[in-house]
Amino acid sequence: MESLPDIARVVQLPDGTHVYLQPDQLPAVQPPQYSGPQVVHQHVHHAPPDRTVQRIALGSGVGAGAVAAGVYFGPLLVGVLTAMAANLALLALIAAVCAWGVVTVVKSVGGQDGKNAAKNISRARRRR
């Protein structure tokens, strides 16, 4: 850090102006800084929001209520259909397990007649 050259500093004079001073020209005592409220002027520029979909929907005769209903009921419909599909899959699994259980019980309890019935069912399935 000691090898860096001394560079000029910006100093605010008591009258409010700013000047560049070399390190050897700096005053011994810095002038007091104003500690009152600071006013910050911030200019933020944003692009306008894109309303293309809304313009197309409303321009094609669809009312704002229909657009709002689509926004509300769209995800609701997806959730309902997903729940129905899950219920149907669970019912299909239960039906398959029950059918397997019935076939197993018929084979074991029915003796020779049960085995013949299971063979007939399996033959009938293969013929299709």
Side-chain angles (χ1 to χ4, degrees):
M1 289 298 240
E2 293 83 21
S3 64
L4 293 176
D6 292 334
I7 54 175
R9 287 188 46 194
V10 177
V11 178
Q12 184 177 9
L13 298 177
D15 63 353
T17 60
H18 292 83
V19 294
Y20 288 101
L21 293 177
Q22 295 298 327
D24 57 346
Q25 297 173 338
L26 290 175
V29 178
Q30 294 290 332
Q33 296 291 324
Y34 175 69
S35 63
Q38 299 291 321
V39 178
V40 177
H41 295 282
Q42 185 176 7
H43 300 280
V44 180
H45 300 281
H46 292 288
D50 185 20
R51 296 190 176 131
T52 306
V53 174
Q54 294 161 347
R55 287 186 183 127
I56 290 172
L58 295 174
S60 64
V62 178
V67 172
V71 168
Y72 180 76
F73 289 113
L76 193 63
L77 179 65
V78 170
V80 167
L81 292 176
T82 304
M84 288 171 51
N87 287 338
L88 289 175
L90 183 63
L91 288 175
L93 178 67
I94 291 172
V97 168
C98 288
W100 173 78
V102 167
V103 168
T104 305
V105 168
V106 167
K107 277 185 184 179
S108 64
V109 173
Q112 190 61 31
D113 291 335
K115 290 180 183 175
N116 289 338
K119 283 182 186 177
N120 289 338
I121 291 173
S122 66
R123 286 181 193 158
R125 285 186 185 166
R126 278 188 248 156
R127 289 181 194 162
R128 289 185 186 178

